[in-house]
């Protein structure tokens, strides 16, 4: 059994992981259905670890902004849960889907209630709830990420948002279908604008590792205030573990053993409750939409450090 490392040993671990990844052939392919993402070099790699006190370590392209995409779903879930509480779960479930992230299959026989907050249908519902609660879901998310990361320049990428809108027919279909079941409160065009802006946020590994630290601190923000109760933070981490990497969540839990949330921009955030948070980025994806090198790096991290939830 590995002995858990001291925080000061994180940097050598990251350097070892970066060397291992650099020597590994085959990185997958960037997402090609969003033209703005397709041109990114799949061999880019960055990784960061943030401790509970805000100290952050990194290797490779850890300061390079990238398209966060579905990683933002973890943050909008936390924000909506903080404002609406248990009532949120009347609109979205907490079970793995077993289907692709943009599938319409389950919605009809489950009466317009998405299986979980991290498939696209569920994320649309959460963004809809957050927009109703705040009047600007995407702006609320941006303000939160800026505050938690300490990066006031963190912003949307208009080119990516426009690209997603131009290729967003499936998301529109999901939203209109759920609206027919009265599970969408806002006009669908407004919701889609909010959702595409949300997914277009650019941030670095350092930004996201720091921004996700409230989940390792059991709901406590960087300024010491409480975003979530300890129980709510547990809920978000639990859903990340079981549903955060699309229909590969079981394999991710098996290999990595941490709550995580991936995005088709190639990023993955992961949480070691009570200890630290991580973000890894490499744009090459596997067939399920997860970063090939990112999953391998997190697997290597938990193996080298002995840190996991199991």
């Amino acid at each position: 059994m590995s002995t858990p490392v001291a925080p000061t040993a994180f940097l050598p671990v990251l350097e070892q992981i970066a060397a291992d990844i650099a020597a590994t052939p085959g990185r997958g392919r960037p997402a090609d259905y969003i033209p703005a993402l397709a041109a990114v070099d799949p061999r880019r790699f960055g990784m960061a670890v943030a401790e509970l006190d805000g100290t952050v370590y990194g290797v490779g392209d850890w300061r390079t902004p990238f398209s966060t995409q579905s990683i933002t779903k973890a943050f909008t879930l936390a924000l909506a849960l903080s404002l609406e509480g248990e009532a949120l779960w009347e609109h979205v479930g907490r079970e793995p889907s077993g289907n692709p992230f943009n599938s319409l299959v389950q919605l009809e026989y489950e009466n317009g209630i998405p299986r979980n907050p991290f498939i696209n249908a569920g994320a649309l519902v959460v963004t809809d709830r957050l927009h109703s609660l705040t009047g600007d879901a995407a702006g609320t998310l941006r303000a939160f990420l800026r505050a938690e990361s300490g990066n006031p320049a963190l912003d949307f990428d208009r080119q990516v948002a426009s690209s997603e809108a131009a290729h967003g027919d499936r998301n529109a279909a999901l939203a209109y279908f759920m609206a027919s079941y009265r599970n969408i409160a806002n006009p669908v065009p407004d919701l889609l604008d909010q959702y595409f802006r949300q997914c277009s946020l650019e941030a670095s590994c350092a930004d996201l590792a720091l921004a996700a630290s409230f989940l390792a601190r059991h709901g406590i923000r960087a300024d010491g205030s409480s975003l979530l109760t300890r129980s709510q933070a547990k809920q978000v981490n639990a859903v990340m573990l079981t549903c955060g990497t699309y229909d590969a969540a079981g394999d991710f839990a098996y290999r990595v053993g941490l709550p995580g949330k991936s995005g088709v921009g190639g990023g993955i955030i992961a949480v070691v409750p009570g200890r630290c948070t991580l973000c890894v980025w490499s744009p090459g994806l596997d067939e399920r939409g997860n970063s090939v090198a990112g999953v391998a790096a997190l697997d290597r991290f938990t193996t080298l450090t002995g840190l996991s939830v199991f």
Side-chain angles (χ1 to χ4, degrees):
M1 179 182 295
S2 300
T3 301
V5 299
T8 53
F10 280 143
L11 186 56
V13 169
L14 296 183
E15 290 170 342
Q16 178 63 56
I17 292 170
D20 293 343
I21 294 298
T24 302
R27 295 286 188 90
R29 299 175 58 186
D32 57 8
Y33 63 93
I34 302 173
L37 302 183
V40 184
D41 180 358
R43 296 195 61 83
R44 300 292 294 273
F45 176 81
M47 189 172 185
V49 177
E51 296 180 46
L52 301 188
D53 65 359
T55 304
V56 61
Y57 307 87
V59 291
D61 300 310
W62 69 298
R63 294 284 191 186
T64 301
F66 62 89
S67 188
T68 57
Q69 294 296 310
S70 289
I71 292 175
T72 59
K73 296 173 183 178
F75 297 103
T76 53
L77 172 61
L79 289 165
L81 188 61
S82 74
L83 294 170
E84 191 165 22
E86 286 295 304
L88 176 66
W89 301 117
E90 297 173 11
H91 302 274
V92 62
R94 301 186 293 269
E95 297 293 337
S97 69
N99 286 308
F101 61 88
N102 59 356
S103 173
L104 292 97
V105 171
Q106 291 166 331
L107 279 177
E108 184 163 17
Y109 61 81
E110 293 183 349
N111 300 312
I113 304 295
R115 186 64 67 90
N116 67 68
F118 296 147
I119 55 175
N120 285 16
L124 285 162
V125 166
V126 172
T127 298
D128 179 66
R129 303 304 300 170
L130 184 61
H131 193 54
S132 293
L133 292 161
T134 65
D136 183 5
T140 299
L141 171 66
R142 179 177 61 182
F144 177 80
L145 292 178
R146 285 177 170 178
E148 297 305 292
S149 68
N151 179 7
L154 190 151
D155 211 344
F156 308 112
D157 184 321
R158 295 182 183 276
Q159 180 184 3
V160 171
S162 297
S163 184
E164 294 204 50
H167 297 83
D169 292 343
R170 179 66 66 94
N171 286 316
L174 290 166
Y176 279 113
F177 191 79
M178 291 186 293
S180 75
Y181 283 94
R182 300 177 184 267
N183 198 25
I184 296 294
N186 293 284
V188 169
D190 295 347
L191 169 59
L192 292 173
D193 177 66
Q194 289 286 320
Y195 182 70
F196 295 141
R197 288 171 64 214
Q198 166 191 319
C199 291
S200 77
L201 272 164
E202 277 200 326
S204 69
C205 291
D207 295 330
L208 291 171
L210 289 166
S213 291
F214 73 97
L215 290 171
R217 291 191 294 260
H218 309 296
I220 303 302
R221 296 186 60 170
D223 64 2
S225 64
S226 177
L227 177 72
L228 301 174
T229 66
R230 190 181 185 97
S231 178
Q232 288 172 329
K234 178 194 71 176
Q235 292 171 2
V236 174
N237 280 327
V239 178
M240 286 172 64
L241 180 68
T242 59
C243 308
T245 47
Y246 311 124
D247 52 334
D251 187 63
F252 186 83
Y254 176 85
R255 292 182 60 186
V256 176
L258 295 173
K261 183 71 199 83
S262 61
V264 296
I268 307 174
I269 57 170
V271 181
V272 185
R275 188 64 185 273
C276 63
T277 49
L278 304 99
C279 182
V280 60
W281 171 60
S282 187
L285 310 179
D286 62 21
E287 66 278 3
R288 290 172 170 175
N290 297 309
S291 170
V292 173
V295 174
L298 291 170
D299 182 356
R300 192 81 177 114
F301 178 86
T302 54
T303 299
L304 290 171
T305 64
L307 296 172
S308 85
V309 298
F310 300 111

